[in-house]
Amino acid sequence: MTAPDPFSLPPAPTVTRRSSNTLLIIGGITVGMLLIVIGASALAFNLLFQRASAIPELLPAETQLYAAITPNLSDLPNINRLQQAFPETFDYQNTDETADFLQERFGVTFADDIAPWIGPEAAVAVYGLPIDQLGRAISESTNPFNPPATLDPLEDVDLSNANVLLIVATRDQRAAQAFLDKQRTFREGQGERFTNSTTGGVTIYASESDETPFAAFALARNMVVFANNAASIMKLIEQRSESTLARNAQFQAVLQSLPNDRIGTIYIAGEALARFVESLFESGSLDESNPTIADIRSAAQAMRGVGFTMAVIESGLRFDAVTVFDQTRLS
């Protein structure tokens, strides 16, 4: 393009020039509006998919299993075709199974008691599992020469230190608190009794008898939290930022290796997987004298983590999986 001469006089205005200017103005407004729409769409997309980092900020670095999903599937792009093809899966909020579970377990409905407050992310997290015991129990249950003494091979596994949390982001804390109060009142009507304690200004309710993942609950750090014990909710409230799952180098390495357009993510800590494989060797289920099997042991020890994601695309669903290794520890 030739630069205009700054010393030349501007051309005389003509009808054609005014028409061109009008077209340019209209075109500029149109482009501007398109940019605003695109920008807003990008912002909404980022809010929808990138806010998944909020929950790992509340979990301890030693979290062994983390599974997150975007609960409001109806807000996702490209979801209509999947809802038509798999109505019970992608319209889970309105299925009879969901309604029956919520009513029988909590005395609530999704539309009236959960939809008003549920936010853009939900996750399940597990830590404190006795991996060595689990590995030995599974090894014994699958050994044809040493059948298990009971029908439940995990009966002797000590899960007293295991922590299971269900965490859901909120967009209306008053509605979220009303939901927690309503389900507590219903459960009390079914014979449950609750004690309460306060940590950091947050009231935690804990069932005196229920040992399910819903035994304890609270509205903490803008999240509705259910857990199998009150201690894990206390830890979430007091969790220091420098020792969270989000700061865990293994967790970061796995998530950075996965696509960003995910609606669901599963992370399994490499340390937990390595301990599980090691327990299989110690129990004799895997023969270390076999060079190929020995390589499995080496690979497990070098594993930083495993990740899985699901994304909704125009033609359906896309699944991705990745295993991240510390290459310096490979044989």
PDB file of all heavy atoms in Angstrom, residues 236-266:
ATOM      1  N   LEU A 236     -10.172 -28.950  54.033  1.00  0.00           N
ATOM      2  CA  LEU A 236     -10.458 -28.129  52.857  1.00  0.00           C
ATOM      3  C   LEU A 236     -10.548 -26.649  53.241  1.00  0.00           C
ATOM      4  O   LEU A 236     -10.034 -25.776  52.536  1.00  0.00           O
ATOM      5  CB  LEU A 236     -11.758 -28.604  52.213  1.00  0.00           C
ATOM      6  CG  LEU A 236     -12.260 -27.863  50.979  1.00  0.00           C
ATOM      7  CD1 LEU A 236     -12.950 -28.834  50.022  1.00  0.00           C
ATOM      8  CD2 LEU A 236     -13.239 -26.752  51.357  1.00  0.00           C
ATOM      9  N   ILE A 237     -11.188 -26.373  54.363  1.00  0.00           N
ATOM     10  CA  ILE A 237     -11.353 -24.984  54.798  1.00  0.00           C
ATOM     11  C   ILE A 237     -10.005 -24.368  55.146  1.00  0.00           C
ATOM     12  O   ILE A 237      -9.734 -23.202  54.833  1.00  0.00           O
ATOM     13  CB  ILE A 237     -12.305 -24.928  56.009  1.00  0.00           C
ATOM     14  CG1 ILE A 237     -13.708 -25.387  55.595  1.00  0.00           C
ATOM     15  CG2 ILE A 237     -12.347 -23.529  56.608  1.00  0.00           C
ATOM     16  CD1 ILE A 237     -14.652 -25.585  56.761  1.00  0.00           C
ATOM     17  N   GLU A 238      -9.140 -25.145  55.778  1.00  0.00           N
ATOM     18  CA  GLU A 238      -7.858 -24.630  56.259  1.00  0.00           C
ATOM     19  C   GLU A 238      -6.723 -24.828  55.262  1.00  0.00           C
ATOM     20  O   GLU A 238      -5.582 -24.475  55.548  1.00  0.00           O
ATOM     21  CB  GLU A 238      -7.501 -25.336  57.573  1.00  0.00           C
ATOM     22  CG  GLU A 238      -8.522 -25.097  58.686  1.00  0.00           C
ATOM     23  CD  GLU A 238      -8.257 -25.935  59.913  1.00  0.00           C
ATOM     24  OE1 GLU A 238      -7.518 -26.948  59.777  1.00  0.00           O
ATOM     25  OE2 GLU A 238      -8.772 -25.599  60.997  1.00  0.00           O
ATOM     26  N   GLN A 239      -7.013 -25.384  54.089  1.00  0.00           N
ATOM     27  CA  GLN A 239      -5.971 -25.733  53.124  1.00  0.00           C
ATOM     28  C   GLN A 239      -5.150 -24.512  52.710  1.00  0.00           C
ATOM     29  O   GLN A 239      -5.697 -23.492  52.285  1.00  0.00           O
ATOM     30  CB  GLN A 239      -6.602 -26.372  51.894  1.00  0.00           C
ATOM     31  CG  GLN A 239      -5.611 -26.846  50.839  1.00  0.00           C
ATOM     32  CD  GLN A 239      -4.742 -27.966  51.358  1.00  0.00           C
ATOM     33  OE1 GLN A 239      -5.223 -28.999  51.806  1.00  0.00           O
ATOM     34  NE2 GLN A 239      -3.435 -27.761  51.302  1.00  0.00           N
ATOM     35  N   ARG A 240      -3.830 -24.611  52.836  1.00  0.00           N
ATOM     36  CA  ARG A 240      -2.926 -23.539  52.427  1.00  0.00           C
ATOM     37  C   ARG A 240      -2.639 -23.659  50.924  1.00  0.00           C
ATOM     38  O   ARG A 240      -2.487 -24.750  50.390  1.00  0.00           O
ATOM     39  CB  ARG A 240      -1.627 -23.602  53.224  1.00  0.00           C
ATOM     40  CG  ARG A 240      -1.836 -23.416  54.731  1.00  0.00           C
ATOM     41  CD  ARG A 240      -0.521 -23.616  55.483  1.00  0.00           C
ATOM     42  NE  ARG A 240       0.471 -22.630  55.089  1.00  0.00           N
ATOM     43  CZ  ARG A 240       0.594 -21.429  55.642  1.00  0.00           C
ATOM     44  NH1 ARG A 240      -0.228 -21.062  56.613  1.00  0.00           N
ATOM     45  NH2 ARG A 240       1.526 -20.582  55.245  1.00  0.00           N
ATOM     46  N   SER A 241      -2.554 -22.523  50.253  1.00  0.00           N
ATOM     47  CA  SER A 241      -2.442 -22.521  48.800  1.00  0.00           C
ATOM     48  C   SER A 241      -1.181 -23.213  48.297  1.00  0.00           C
ATOM     49  O   SER A 241      -1.190 -23.834  47.233  1.00  0.00           O
ATOM     50  CB  SER A 241      -2.479 -21.076  48.282  1.00  0.00           C
ATOM     51  OG  SER A 241      -1.396 -20.329  48.811  1.00  0.00           O
ATOM     52  N   GLU A 242      -0.079 -23.125  49.059  1.00  0.00           N
ATOM     53  CA  GLU A 242       1.177 -23.702  48.572  1.00  0.00           C
ATOM     54  C   GLU A 242       1.202 -25.222  48.624  1.00  0.00           C
ATOM     55  O   GLU A 242       2.094 -25.846  48.058  1.00  0.00           O
ATOM     56  CB  GLU A 242       2.361 -23.132  49.355  1.00  0.00           C
ATOM     57  CG  GLU A 242       2.341 -23.457  50.837  1.00  0.00           C
ATOM     58  CD  GLU A 242       1.637 -22.404  51.662  1.00  0.00           C
ATOM     59  OE1 GLU A 242       0.875 -21.608  51.077  1.00  0.00           O
ATOM     60  OE2 GLU A 242       1.856 -22.372  52.882  1.00  0.00           O
ATOM     61  N   SER A 243       0.246 -25.839  49.320  1.00  0.00           N
ATOM     62  CA  SER A 243       0.247 -27.297  49.429  1.00  0.00           C
ATOM     63  C   SER A 243      -1.024 -27.912  48.859  1.00  0.00           C
ATOM     64  O   SER A 243      -1.509 -28.930  49.338  1.00  0.00           O
ATOM     65  CB  SER A 243       0.404 -27.718  50.901  1.00  0.00           C
ATOM     66  OG  SER A 243      -0.638 -27.153  51.698  1.00  0.00           O
ATOM     67  N   THR A 244      -1.568 -27.292  47.809  1.00  0.00           N
ATOM     68  CA  THR A 244      -2.804 -27.773  47.208  1.00  0.00           C
ATOM     69  C   THR A 244      -2.511 -28.689  46.020  1.00  0.00           C
ATOM     70  O   THR A 244      -1.401 -28.727  45.482  1.00  0.00           O
ATOM     71  CB  THR A 244      -3.664 -26.602  46.721  1.00  0.00           C
ATOM     72  OG1 THR A 244      -2.933 -25.879  45.708  1.00  0.00           O
ATOM     73  CG2 THR A 244      -4.016 -25.665  47.860  1.00  0.00           C
ATOM     74  N   LEU A 245      -3.549 -29.379  45.580  1.00  0.00           N
ATOM     75  CA  LEU A 245      -3.431 -30.209  44.390  1.00  0.00           C
ATOM     76  C   LEU A 245      -3.073 -29.364  43.179  1.00  0.00           C
ATOM     77  O   LEU A 245      -2.299 -29.800  42.312  1.00  0.00           O
ATOM     78  CB  LEU A 245      -4.757 -30.948  44.151  1.00  0.00           C
ATOM     79  CG  LEU A 245      -4.830 -31.818  42.896  1.00  0.00           C
ATOM     80  CD1 LEU A 245      -3.831 -32.966  42.968  1.00  0.00           C
ATOM     81  CD2 LEU A 245      -6.249 -32.357  42.697  1.00  0.00           C
ATOM     82  N   ALA A 246      -3.607 -28.159  43.106  1.00  0.00           N
ATOM     83  CA  ALA A 246      -3.325 -27.293  41.962  1.00  0.00           C
ATOM     84  C   ALA A 246      -1.844 -26.968  41.842  1.00  0.00           C
ATOM     85  O   ALA A 246      -1.345 -26.690  40.745  1.00  0.00           O
ATOM     86  CB  ALA A 246      -4.135 -25.998  42.077  1.00  0.00           C
ATOM     87  N   ARG A 247      -1.100 -26.984  42.966  1.00  0.00           N
ATOM     88  CA  ARG A 247       0.334 -26.685  42.959  1.00  0.00           C
ATOM     89  C   ARG A 247       1.181 -27.952  42.818  1.00  0.00           C
ATOM     90  O   ARG A 247       2.401 -27.864  42.745  1.00  0.00           O
ATOM     91  CB  ARG A 247       0.735 -25.967  44.252  1.00  0.00           C
ATOM     92  CG  ARG A 247      -0.002 -24.668  44.508  1.00  0.00           C
ATOM     93  CD  ARG A 247       0.352 -23.606  43.472  1.00  0.00           C
ATOM     94  NE  ARG A 247      -0.209 -22.314  43.841  1.00  0.00           N
ATOM     95  CZ  ARG A 247      -1.434 -21.912  43.522  1.00  0.00           C
ATOM     96  NH1 ARG A 247      -2.217 -22.716  42.815  1.00  0.00           N
ATOM     97  NH2 ARG A 247      -1.885 -20.728  43.884  1.00  0.00           N
ATOM     98  N   ASN A 248       0.530 -29.100  42.796  1.00  0.00           N
ATOM     99  CA  ASN A 248       1.250 -30.371  42.674  1.00  0.00           C
ATOM    100  C   ASN A 248       1.851 -30.483  41.274  1.00  0.00           C
ATOM    101  O   ASN A 248       1.133 -30.380  40.269  1.00  0.00           O
ATOM    102  CB  ASN A 248       0.283 -31.533  42.950  1.00  0.00           C
ATOM    103  CG  ASN A 248       0.968 -32.887  42.928  1.00  0.00           C
ATOM    104  OD1 ASN A 248       1.537 -33.276  41.926  1.00  0.00           O
ATOM    105  ND2 ASN A 248       0.900 -33.602  44.026  1.00  0.00           N
ATOM    106  N   ALA A 249       3.152 -30.695  41.186  1.00  0.00           N
ATOM    107  CA  ALA A 249       3.831 -30.724  39.884  1.00  0.00           C
ATOM    108  C   ALA A 249       3.329 -31.870  39.010  1.00  0.00           C
ATOM    109  O   ALA A 249       3.221 -31.720  37.786  1.00  0.00           O
ATOM    110  CB  ALA A 249       5.348 -30.854  40.097  1.00  0.00           C
ATOM    111  N   GLN A 250       3.003 -33.010  39.601  1.00  0.00           N
ATOM    112  CA  GLN A 250       2.496 -34.136  38.822  1.00  0.00           C
ATOM    113  C   GLN A 250       1.130 -33.811  38.238  1.00  0.00           C
ATOM    114  O   GLN A 250       0.853 -34.086  37.064  1.00  0.00           O
ATOM    115  CB  GLN A 250       2.425 -35.388  39.694  1.00  0.00           C
ATOM    116  CG  GLN A 250       3.779 -35.894  40.173  1.00  0.00           C
ATOM    117  CD  GLN A 250       3.669 -37.201  40.940  1.00  0.00           C
ATOM    118  OE1 GLN A 250       2.582 -37.662  41.283  1.00  0.00           O
ATOM    119  NE2 GLN A 250       4.801 -37.807  41.227  1.00  0.00           N
ATOM    120  N   PHE A 251       0.269 -33.214  39.055  1.00  0.00           N
ATOM    121  CA  PHE A 251      -1.063 -32.828  38.585  1.00  0.00           C
ATOM    122  C   PHE A 251      -0.955 -31.812  37.450  1.00  0.00           C
ATOM    123  O   PHE A 251      -1.643 -31.923  36.425  1.00  0.00           O
ATOM    124  CB  PHE A 251      -1.851 -32.249  39.758  1.00  0.00           C
ATOM    125  CG  PHE A 251      -3.247 -31.796  39.409  1.00  0.00           C
ATOM    126  CD1 PHE A 251      -4.263 -32.709  39.219  1.00  0.00           C
ATOM    127  CD2 PHE A 251      -3.538 -30.443  39.289  1.00  0.00           C
ATOM    128  CE1 PHE A 251      -5.549 -32.298  38.910  1.00  0.00           C
ATOM    129  CE2 PHE A 251      -4.821 -30.017  38.979  1.00  0.00           C
ATOM    130  CZ  PHE A 251      -5.824 -30.951  38.793  1.00  0.00           C
ATOM    131  N   GLN A 252      -0.086 -30.836  37.602  1.00  0.00           N
ATOM    132  CA  GLN A 252       0.094 -29.826  36.564  1.00  0.00           C
ATOM    133  C   GLN A 252       0.611 -30.457  35.270  1.00  0.00           C
ATOM    134  O   GLN A 252       0.153 -30.110  34.174  1.00  0.00           O
ATOM    135  CB  GLN A 252       1.072 -28.754  37.049  1.00  0.00           C
ATOM    136  CG  GLN A 252       0.545 -27.885  38.169  1.00  0.00           C
ATOM    137  CD  GLN A 252       1.568 -26.872  38.640  1.00  0.00           C
ATOM    138  OE1 GLN A 252       2.748 -26.957  38.314  1.00  0.00           O
ATOM    139  NE2 GLN A 252       1.128 -25.898  39.413  1.00  0.00           N
ATOM    140  N   ALA A 253       1.546 -31.396  35.392  1.00  0.00           N
ATOM    141  CA  ALA A 253       2.113 -32.030  34.193  1.00  0.00           C
ATOM    142  C   ALA A 253       1.044 -32.800  33.417  1.00  0.00           C
ATOM    143  O   ALA A 253       1.025 -32.784  32.184  1.00  0.00           O
ATOM    144  CB  ALA A 253       3.249 -32.967  34.594  1.00  0.00           C
ATOM    145  N   VAL A 254       0.157 -33.467  34.140  1.00  0.00           N
ATOM    146  CA  VAL A 254      -0.899 -34.243  33.472  1.00  0.00           C
ATOM    147  C   VAL A 254      -1.899 -33.315  32.805  1.00  0.00           C
ATOM    148  O   VAL A 254      -2.240 -33.484  31.630  1.00  0.00           O
ATOM    149  CB  VAL A 254      -1.598 -35.175  34.486  1.00  0.00           C
ATOM    150  CG1 VAL A 254      -2.837 -35.814  33.856  1.00  0.00           C
ATOM    151  CG2 VAL A 254      -0.637 -36.263  34.956  1.00  0.00           C
ATOM    152  N   LEU A 255      -2.391 -32.307  33.532  1.00  0.00           N
ATOM    153  CA  LEU A 255      -3.408 -31.429  32.953  1.00  0.00           C
ATOM    154  C   LEU A 255      -2.874 -30.613  31.791  1.00  0.00           C
ATOM    155  O   LEU A 255      -3.603 -30.346  30.832  1.00  0.00           O
ATOM    156  CB  LEU A 255      -3.974 -30.496  34.040  1.00  0.00           C
ATOM    157  CG  LEU A 255      -5.331 -30.934  34.600  1.00  0.00           C
ATOM    158  CD1 LEU A 255      -5.207 -32.275  35.325  1.00  0.00           C
ATOM    159  CD2 LEU A 255      -5.937 -29.896  35.496  1.00  0.00           C
ATOM    160  N   GLN A 256      -1.610 -30.228  31.845  1.00  0.00           N
ATOM    161  CA  GLN A 256      -1.030 -29.470  30.738  1.00  0.00           C
ATOM    162  C   GLN A 256      -0.873 -30.326  29.484  1.00  0.00           C
ATOM    163  O   GLN A 256      -0.724 -29.780  28.379  1.00  0.00           O
ATOM    164  CB  GLN A 256       0.322 -28.897  31.158  1.00  0.00           C
ATOM    165  CG  GLN A 256       0.212 -27.768  32.169  1.00  0.00           C
ATOM    166  CD  GLN A 256       1.550 -27.367  32.755  1.00  0.00           C
ATOM    167  OE1 GLN A 256       2.603 -27.904  32.365  1.00  0.00           O
ATOM    168  NE2 GLN A 256       1.542 -26.446  33.697  1.00  0.00           N
ATOM    169  N   SER A 257      -0.923 -31.635  29.642  1.00  0.00           N
ATOM    170  CA  SER A 257      -0.796 -32.542  28.501  1.00  0.00           C
ATOM    171  C   SER A 257      -2.150 -32.904  27.901  1.00  0.00           C
ATOM    172  O   SER A 257      -2.209 -33.637  26.916  1.00  0.00           O
ATOM    173  CB  SER A 257      -0.071 -33.825  28.923  1.00  0.00           C
ATOM    174  OG  SER A 257       1.209 -33.534  29.449  1.00  0.00           O
ATOM    175  N   LEU A 258      -3.231 -32.398  28.486  1.00  0.00           N
ATOM    176  CA  LEU A 258      -4.577 -32.711  28.024  1.00  0.00           C
ATOM    177  C   LEU A 258      -5.198 -31.493  27.347  1.00  0.00           C
ATOM    178  O   LEU A 258      -4.830 -30.359  27.645  1.00  0.00           O
ATOM    179  CB  LEU A 258      -5.446 -33.149  29.218  1.00  0.00           C
ATOM    180  CG  LEU A 258      -5.097 -34.505  29.822  1.00  0.00           C
ATOM    181  CD1 LEU A 258      -5.771 -34.676  31.184  1.00  0.00           C
ATOM    182  CD2 LEU A 258      -5.514 -35.636  28.884  1.00  0.00           C
ATOM    183  N   PRO A 259      -6.155 -31.691  26.442  1.00  0.00           N
ATOM    184  CA  PRO A 259      -6.796 -30.553  25.770  1.00  0.00           C
ATOM    185  C   PRO A 259      -7.616 -29.710  26.744  1.00  0.00           C
ATOM    186  O   PRO A 259      -8.093 -30.211  27.772  1.00  0.00           O
ATOM    187  CB  PRO A 259      -7.692 -31.221  24.714  1.00  0.00           C
ATOM    188  CG  PRO A 259      -7.802 -32.642  25.112  1.00  0.00           C
ATOM    189  CD  PRO A 259      -6.621 -32.991  25.933  1.00  0.00           C
ATOM    190  N   ASN A 260      -7.786 -28.446  26.406  1.00  0.00           N
ATOM    191  CA  ASN A 260      -8.488 -27.512  27.288  1.00  0.00           C
ATOM    192  C   ASN A 260      -9.995 -27.506  27.107  1.00  0.00           C
ATOM    193  O   ASN A 260     -10.717 -27.023  27.985  1.00  0.00           O
ATOM    194  CB  ASN A 260      -7.964 -26.086  27.068  1.00  0.00           C
ATOM    195  CG  ASN A 260      -6.557 -25.902  27.588  1.00  0.00           C
ATOM    196  OD1 ASN A 260      -6.172 -26.491  28.589  1.00  0.00           O
ATOM    197  ND2 ASN A 260      -5.775 -25.085  26.896  1.00  0.00           N
ATOM    198  N   ASP A 261     -10.498 -28.021  25.997  1.00  0.00           N
ATOM    199  CA  ASP A 261     -11.935 -27.943  25.729  1.00  0.00           C
ATOM    200  C   ASP A 261     -12.689 -29.110  26.348  1.00  0.00           C
ATOM    201  O   ASP A 261     -13.614 -29.650  25.773  1.00  0.00           O
ATOM    202  CB  ASP A 261     -12.182 -27.880  24.217  1.00  0.00           C
ATOM    203  CG  ASP A 261     -11.657 -29.119  23.488  1.00  0.00           C
ATOM    204  OD1 ASP A 261     -10.798 -29.833  24.072  1.00  0.00           O
ATOM    205  OD2 ASP A 261     -12.091 -29.376  22.352  1.00  0.00           O
ATOM    206  N   ARG A 262     -12.334 -29.466  27.535  1.00  0.00           N
ATOM    207  CA  ARG A 262     -12.910 -30.644  28.179  1.00  0.00           C
ATOM    208  C   ARG A 262     -14.119 -30.264  29.031  1.00  0.00           C
ATOM    209  O   ARG A 262     -14.170 -29.188  29.618  1.00  0.00           O
ATOM    210  CB  ARG A 262     -11.860 -31.326  29.058  1.00  0.00           C
ATOM    211  CG  ARG A 262     -11.143 -30.382  30.021  1.00  0.00           C
ATOM    212  CD  ARG A 262     -10.008 -31.090  30.742  1.00  0.00           C
ATOM    213  NE  ARG A 262      -9.299 -30.198  31.660  1.00  0.00           N
ATOM    214  CZ  ARG A 262      -8.188 -29.549  31.365  1.00  0.00           C
ATOM    215  NH1 ARG A 262      -7.649 -29.690  30.167  1.00  0.00           N
ATOM    216  NH2 ARG A 262      -7.600 -28.766  32.253  1.00  0.00           N
ATOM    217  N   ILE A 263     -15.072 -31.199  29.102  1.00  0.00           N
ATOM    218  CA  ILE A 263     -16.185 -31.025  30.034  1.00  0.00           C
ATOM    219  C   ILE A 263     -16.028 -31.978  31.213  1.00  0.00           C
ATOM    220  O   ILE A 263     -16.720 -31.831  32.221  1.00  0.00           O
ATOM    221  CB  ILE A 263     -17.546 -31.265  29.358  1.00  0.00           C
ATOM    222  CG1 ILE A 263     -17.701 -32.728  28.936  1.00  0.00           C
ATOM    223  CG2 ILE A 263     -17.733 -30.341  28.186  1.00  0.00           C
ATOM    224  CD1 ILE A 263     -19.101 -33.104  28.548  1.00  0.00           C
ATOM    225  N   GLY A 264     -15.141 -32.942  31.076  1.00  0.00           N
ATOM    226  CA  GLY A 264     -14.892 -33.879  32.165  1.00  0.00           C
ATOM    227  C   GLY A 264     -13.428 -34.263  32.213  1.00  0.00           C
ATOM    228  O   GLY A 264     -12.769 -34.383  31.170  1.00  0.00           O
ATOM    229  N   THR A 265     -12.896 -34.417  33.420  1.00  0.00           N
ATOM    230  CA  THR A 265     -11.481 -34.738  33.610  1.00  0.00           C
ATOM    231  C   THR A 265     -11.329 -35.748  34.736  1.00  0.00           C
ATOM    232  O   THR A 265     -12.006 -35.639  35.756  1.00  0.00           O
ATOM    233  CB  THR A 265     -10.672 -33.478  33.978  1.00  0.00           C
ATOM    234  OG1 THR A 265     -10.859 -32.477  32.989  1.00  0.00           O
ATOM    235  CG2 THR A 265      -9.186 -33.794  34.104  1.00  0.00           C
ATOM    236  N   ILE A 266     -10.462 -36.725  34.525  1.00  0.00           N
ATOM    237  CA  ILE A 266     -10.093 -37.665  35.584  1.00  0.00           C
ATOM    238  C   ILE A 266      -8.571 -37.664  35.707  1.00  0.00           C
ATOM    239  O   ILE A 266      -7.863 -37.763  34.700  1.00  0.00           O
ATOM    240  CB  ILE A 266     -10.587 -39.093  35.285  1.00  0.00           C
ATOM    241  CG1 ILE A 266     -12.114 -39.129  35.233  1.00  0.00           C
ATOM    242  CG2 ILE A 266     -10.082 -40.075  36.351  1.00  0.00           C
ATOM    243  CD1 ILE A 266     -12.675 -40.495  34.857  1.00  0.00           C
TER     244      ILE A 266
END
